[in-house]
Amino acid sequence: ETGVTQSPTHLIKTRGQQVTLRCSSQSGHNTVSWYQQALGQGPQFIFQYYREEENGRGNFPPRFSGLQFPNYSSELNVNALELDDSALYLCASIKKRSGGPLTDTQYFGPGTRLTVL
Amino acid sequence: GQQLNQSPQSMFIQEGEDVSMNCTSSSIFNTWLWYKQEPGEGPVLLIALYKAGELTSNGRLTAQFGITRKDSFLNISASIPSDVGIYFCAGLSYNTDKLIFGTGTRLQVFP
């Protein structure tokens, strides 16, 4: 058990719809990263939030957006869903030292399986 | 997106055998991590490596951080059925929090 929870566990949407996925970080962890894992692939970094601000982004379009709340929980929002957005979405929480690079390990949640029809 | 090259892609072995897998990159990393993922779960950290040449063990698992900082190796000794899963390497560059994952090695262990 990593102490990181995600909801929902599964979700089915249709093309063009919007989706919100949620993540609760491990207690005391102030940083959350989101990853997309397509079937048969390794996870791909979407973006990271540190102290409620985006702190690094991978190669994903602006229709992928996020939020981090004062309690360090987080949301991933995807607008205008496409078929290729079907994937397992993982969040990972870290306790990051102020202003410094990542030195602590990232603990992953179980993921949300999104299917776009 | 960028992914590290992991080999082999899959392995089918008998219980008790040793397993070796590796991961290579065209870029230098300052940290190498090895994760295991089982169906319906997120990746779970197995071993973290922080220095070139470092050799670290975690029970029956041993991993090494390559001298060139562009590769890493994971060995599992005396495999057991619960070792079944997908093993991912991941690299982390200095001053970034972005993990770059490998393509994964699927391990099947037969009794």
Side-chain angles (χ1 to χ4, degrees):
Chain A
E1 290 295 327
T2 63
V4 180
T5 59
Q6 290 186 244
S7 63
T9 53
H10 295 85
L11 202 51
I12 299 175
K13 292 283 189 177
T14 56
R15 273 192 326 181
Q17 285 189 311
Q18 178 266 342
V19 69
T20 298
L21 310 181
R22 294 180 175 83
C23 173
S24 290
S25 303
Q26 192 178 103
S27 177
H29 284 191
N30 57 10
T31 304
V32 65
S33 294
W34 283 91
Y35 291 80
Q36 180 195 66
Q37 186 177 20
L39 202 60
Q41 302 289 320
Q44 296 277 332
F45 177 79
I46 303 175
F47 45 53
Q48 182 185 86
Y49 277 80
Y50 171 62
R51 291 185 174 176
E52 302 175 53
E53 292 192 1
E54 188 177 293
N55 179 44
R57 190 177 183 93
N59 190 25
F60 281 82
R63 59 188 185 85
F64 285 78
S65 63
L67 282 173
Q68 187 183 30
F69 300 100
N71 66 355
Y72 301 135
S73 66
S74 177
E75 285 182 356
L76 165 66
N77 299 292
V78 187
N79 294 322
L81 284 167
E82 301 176 0
L83 296 179
D84 284 350
D85 295 334
S86 295
L88 181 70
Y89 287 86
L90 298 160
C91 74
S93 79
I94 321 117
K95 185 175 182 180
K96 183 171 177 173
R97 294 178 182 83
S98 176
L102 177 71
T103 54
D104 296 319
T105 53
Q106 304 189 29
Y107 295 91
F108 284 85
T112 293
R113 171 75 60 190
L114 173 65
T115 302
V116 182
L117 303 176
Chain B
Q2 182 187 3
Q3 287 204 318
L4 308 178
N5 295 315
Q6 230 177 300
S7 64
Q9 191 173 21
S10 60
M11 302 182 76
F12 299 84
I13 64 169
Q14 198 155 22
E15 185 177 356
E17 288 184 4
D18 296 343
V19 170
S20 289
M21 59 189 80
N22 67 61
C23 191
T24 59
S25 168
S26 57
S27 308
I28 288 172
F29 290 114
N30 291 88
T31 300
W32 281 94
L33 305 164
W34 285 91
Y35 288 87
K36 179 187 177 187
Q37 188 175 26
E38 298 185 35
E41 302 289 333
V44 174
L45 182 67
L46 299 173
I47 290 181
L49 302 156
Y50 299 105
K51 206 160 54 169
E54 180 181 353
L55 186 71
T56 298
S57 292
N58 178 10
R60 294 179 295 105
L61 277 61
T62 301
Q64 184 160 25
F65 191 141
I67 291 290
T68 65
R69 292 162 66 194
K70 291 183 177 182
D71 57 4
S72 181
F73 306 87
L74 175 69
N75 296 312
I76 304 173
S77 62
S79 58
I80 59 178
S82 62
D83 290 334
V84 166
I86 304 176
Y87 291 79
F88 289 100
C89 62
L92 196 62
S93 299
Y94 180 72
N95 228 17
T96 176
D97 296 347
K98 173 181 161 181
L99 281 175
I100 307 295
F101 279 85
T103 48
T105 293
R106 183 181 296 272
L107 178 63
Q108 291 278 11
V109 180
F110 296 100

